[in-house]
Amino acid sequence: VSFRRRLLLLFALTVLLSVATVTAIISTWTRRAFDHANDERTAAFVAQFHREFENHGEEVSRRIQSIAASADANRMLVAAAQRTPDYSPFLDTAQVIAETQRFDFLEFADDRGTIISSAQWPAKFGYNQPLVTQSPPNKPFLKEEELPSGPALGLFAIHSMTAVGRRLYIIGGIRLNKSFLATLEPPAGTSVMLYETLDSATFSPDHLISAVGAPGDADAQQLAPIIQQVQSNHREFGTVIRGSSGGQTVNAFPLTGENHQVLGVLLVASSRQIYAELRSQIGAAALLAASAGLILAILLSSWAATRVTRPVEELARAAHEVAAGNWNATVEVSTRDEIGELAESFNRMTRDLLDHSERLVQAERVAAWRELARRLAHELKNPLFPLQLTVENLLRAREQGQQQFDETFRESAATLLSEISNLKNIIGKFSDFSKMPQPHFQAVQLRELFEGVIKLHQAQLTKAGIHCHLEISTDSPIAADPELLHRALSNLILNAIEAMPQGGTLTLRASQRHDSVRIEISDSGSGLAPEESAQLFTPYYTSKPHGTGLGLAIVQSIVSDHGGRISVTSEPGRGTTFIIELSANRDKLPAAQRTHV
Amino acid sequence: MKRFSSILIVAASLACAAVANAATRPHYGGTLRVSVQASPQTIDPMALDSAGFRSLKQLVFETLVKLDDRGRLQPLLATSWQVEPGNQRWRFQIRNGVIFSDGVPVDASVAAASVRAANPEWKVFALGDLVMIETSSPVPNLAAELTLPRNSISRRSEGKLIGTGPFTVAQWDAAKQHLTLQANDQYWGGRPFVDSIEADFGKNDRDQLMLMDLGKSDLVEVAPEDIRRAQGGNRVVKTSQPAELLALVFTRNAQSDDEVHLRNALAISIDSAALNNVVFQAAGEPSGALLPNWLSGYAFVYPAGGGGATRPRVSHSVVWTFSCDTADPVARIAADRILLNARDVGITLQIVNSENADIRLAKLALPSADPETALSELARDFQLPVPTFSNSTISGLYSAESMLLQSHRVVPLIYLRGAVALRTNVHGFKLLPDGSWQLDNVWLSSETP
């Protein structure tokens, strides 16, 4: 990762972390403020509920008292005072009165607790009303009432009237239902529901009443754990329900009866939509700030990178050039800071390196000339000594007589011609090495090339008792100069023949590797020592008594001119293998031949 | 002066006598307006109906014989009848000179065709002026069965049913639930007093009494529980003998002894006395029998459900579905009461609005004033095997009824009285013990203020 990117990442992270931290802090403050306001609103509403509960209770009580003053109530009291009371005329009396007085529940009972007339369950006449036989409450109370359709929750009041020693009880009530909840007028964004606990401990959505219609099953099921929490703990419980429009905060309050049992649960649900909108706005603002920060970070990082990384990049570029061989590469020094000093040092280093290199080249050149002179002197000195002896023999022979001179002259002339020929040969090799031609590329089939070289040296191989083995696994032609490649292979085969005076096996392999070919020439000779292998391709280096040390240098030169590489692997006693790796060089072929390669 | 006074007194007495005579002597003319609770869809005599509507149809369609107010057979379209020993071969002598309201004479073959259509299991044929009926098994009460409305003699003309009764159907509008009967001037028994009868159906008890109070109805049905309330004012309330059975009917036979015990427990749990006294305002009699005591004479031996504190709880809970006529508020209260009583002994009844309920609360009018015929018809209504009577004695009747009750398919609860309210200008009306109305001699007087 470049310094520029690191710098950008650092800036971006800094900006994002800052924005995220500020956003989190603002969100937390907002949520706390909203929860606080919601708690206050819920508390106010619950207080309103209790006030309404008391008001409705007082209203129920007042209406019961008006019933007590009615003629029907008096007739019941008279009937109750009879020795054998006949309550049959009052079967529907409670229903009629309940209808006119807008009671959901109304029952008349005598002092033995016998129901005289029941509005909510007319068939219950004659049954016992336990409220009468126990101690009747003297203020409005919450009670679960049994109905034919199932139990229901109601706000009740009880009133008694006495005459001729008998007592008549009037128990009236209103149902805590949708209509009751509709009178509560909750604040905007708040809805109220009532769960009738009734006789079942299992949650049932049917027992959930809402002022604005029955909640859906899914919503009801979300409320179930809250209701069960209140039922089991008899205490208020509040939680947040996730959902659409930000969800809602639900606070549940137990509604208890005379015996402190939880008869119902009041549920106050406050919409969190406003909070959700606010949070959404904060999020949007944070996103905007983050985006702006990121842009700023990019700009700042670009500027900083320009200031810091450009000289560094210049240095890197210059270093790459130096590595590629251009020792003239320099860096422009525009600052006086650490980067400037570094650039100055680099320029100084390249200058020193260049000077040192030039000195090294000169030294190598001198050494090469010295070596060349030494080799020339050595090569020329060898034929010159026989020449000198031969000439001295001729001089001595002239002094000894004509016949002796003639014999000596004939022998010396042959020797002189032989040595002169040897000198010409030495000079020719040096000349060849200096005049190595550039390759003319054309399509070459390796198999044909190998077979041609083997055929040329077949007589020598046979004479030396060497078995030749060909392993060619590619038929694809390569682009090469066949004459130069033939010459290189010939040199290597001649080397191999010389390395196996006692005979052996010569193996020539060729194989295709991607876009190149690999040629191996192996002998089973005595092998080379590592130090011999290291200097094998050095010009004029030879381990042979009469070698010029130019054969393998010429091979390396040919391979190099083909864009290839030559190497050697050898171990003493295990033979030697020369490995040539050549590129297919298709781009160097004339267009007409390219399709055949 | 004393003589003048005597003359005045005699003259006044004569005048008063004349006025009184004029008030009690039947008058021809006028329209009798009737309101009935039932909502019939047809006036076919084959259909089962309440006592009121059944009585209206009997004004149009007559049977071969009829039962009088003491349950005795009386001739109607048949002047006489005879049964051969073995009670399997009957012959009825057709009355001469009887014509249908469209003028077609009634002969034995027409009468035989009507009876045959209603009783395909009988062999019915005409033989001169005789209608011959042969049965595969003894039917000692066959003549009484012929009094049932389904055995009315009728013929179909232009898609309409035509009878021989004192009235003819002038208009029948099933949609508006209105029936107009016109006096049959050609009636063989003489023209009825009133010109026509206008009947409105589907009126509840309160509406009927209100129509009467408003002077828009002369004769209305009164529900048993409203008898006490209907009395008084410018109307007369007549009640019949207990003639409508309120019973629990199980839709299938008991599957085990355990279920029989549960059904018995349910029967014992129901406080029929409280049901009768309060819900039905003492307008009936608690009954454990299918026939009322006034008809059978032995109904008291079947105890009605007792209720009270001695009811034992069943050993294990059971839930039965229970249906009733939910449109009838009194039936609903009765059903609720039964539900409460059953719950006291551990039986749960779930009120459902379905014909496939395990139990239904049935209210059936006594089908006939003849006990054997009534028992047979009740058995048909309850989808029980129709009883056979070895003889026409009370012991045969008792055995047959006991067998029906031992099926544990029916739990009789109360026999309710039939009741009607009349305006004071309606005369000649008779409410028969089985709740049927006798309207053929009704006449209307000008109403006294």
Side-chain angles (χ1 to χ4, degrees), chain A residues 432-484:
Chain A
D432 285 349
F433 182 63
S434 65
K435 293 179 186 174
M436 189 64 69
Q438 286 301 308
H440 297 284
F441 287 96
Q442 62 185 78
V444 175
Q445 283 286 352
L446 288 175
R447 183 178 293 277
E448 289 175 8
L449 186 68
F450 280 16
E451 286 172 354
V453 176
I454 295 294
K455 192 176 179 181
L456 182 66
H457 298 286
Q458 189 60 53
Q460 290 168 275
L461 290 168
T462 306
K463 187 180 177 184
I466 296 169
H467 174 68
C468 187
H469 182 59
L470 273 181
E471 291 179 15
I472 300 172
S473 62
T474 175
D475 290 330
S476 298
I478 62 167
D481 186 325
E483 286 182 13
L484 289 178

Side-chain angles (χ1 to χ4, degrees), chain A residues 494-523:
Chain A
L494 284 172
N495 264 352
I497 292 169
E498 287 176 4
M500 295 182 287
Q502 303 301 320
T505 302
L506 173 67
T507 306
L508 280 79
R509 295 190 190 88
S511 58
Q512 182 96 28
R513 292 200 176 180
H514 304 297
D515 204 25
S516 63
V517 290
R518 180 184 172 97
I519 298 168
E520 292 178 13
I521 296 97
S522 304
D523 63 56

